[in-house]
Structure formats: structure tokens, C-alpha cells
Amino acid sequence: MGKVVFVFHGQGSQYVGMARELHDLHEEAAHVFREADRILEREISSLCFDGREEDLNQTINTQLTVFVANHACFRVL
């Protein structure tokens, strides 16, 4: 049987509004964002969906938001 590989985007691909449609259309993705907000004790979802580009582009924020968006995508798949 063949192998399955998932390749996700990384830093530099972030943009305000990323993963919003995935969040809105799939409960599993919404759950990932709620859990990330809870675990990290900050509104990662708001930063992804409605944040300022300057804030999103800070490495400390970019790494978290891109990871959460990728994880949400994986969970939906």
C-alpha cells in the first residue's frame, strides 16, 4: 500500500483571514481554534481571522497561527 504524506504551508504564507472559511464550514476546525484559544490563553482565532497584519507577521504570532490553521486543516481531512 502507498504512503500518505501531508505537506503544510509555513511562515510567510500567513494572511489576515486565513482559515476563517475552514473554521466556519467545519465544526472540527472550529473546535481546534477554540482549544488553541483555551490552551494558549489568548485569542489565536481572532488574530487569524481579524487581527492586524503587523501583529500576525510577528514570528511569535505567525508560528502559532500557522500551526493552528494547519492543524485545523489536518483534523478536517
Side-chain angles (χ1 to χ4, degrees):
M1 177 152 68
K3 296 180 181 181
V4 176
V5 176
F6 293 95
V7 178
F8 294 102
H9 60 278
Q11 187 166 346
S13 61
Q14 73 277 3
Y15 60 93
V16 174
M18 68 178 176
R20 179 184 278 286
E21 187 173 356
L22 188 69
H23 170 276
D24 293 347
L25 294 175
H26 300 279
E27 176 54 35
E28 187 64 31
H31 175 75
V32 168
F33 278 95
R34 284 192 305 272
E35 282 295 289
D37 289 350
R38 182 185 65 77
I39 291 167
L40 297 169
E41 297 180 339
R42 55 189 291 210
E43 295 291 321
I44 291 298
S45 56
S46 294
L47 186 56
C48 281
F49 307 149
D50 303 311
R52 295 177 344 141
E53 186 174 351
E54 297 80 29
D55 295 333
L56 187 60
N57 288 336
Q58 293 177 8
T59 299
I60 193 165
N61 294 326
T62 301
Q63 294 294 323
L64 291 171
T65 55
V66 169
F67 173 80
V68 172
N70 285 335
H71 186 66
C73 182
F74 175 76
R75 293 295 298 264
V76 169
L77 292 173

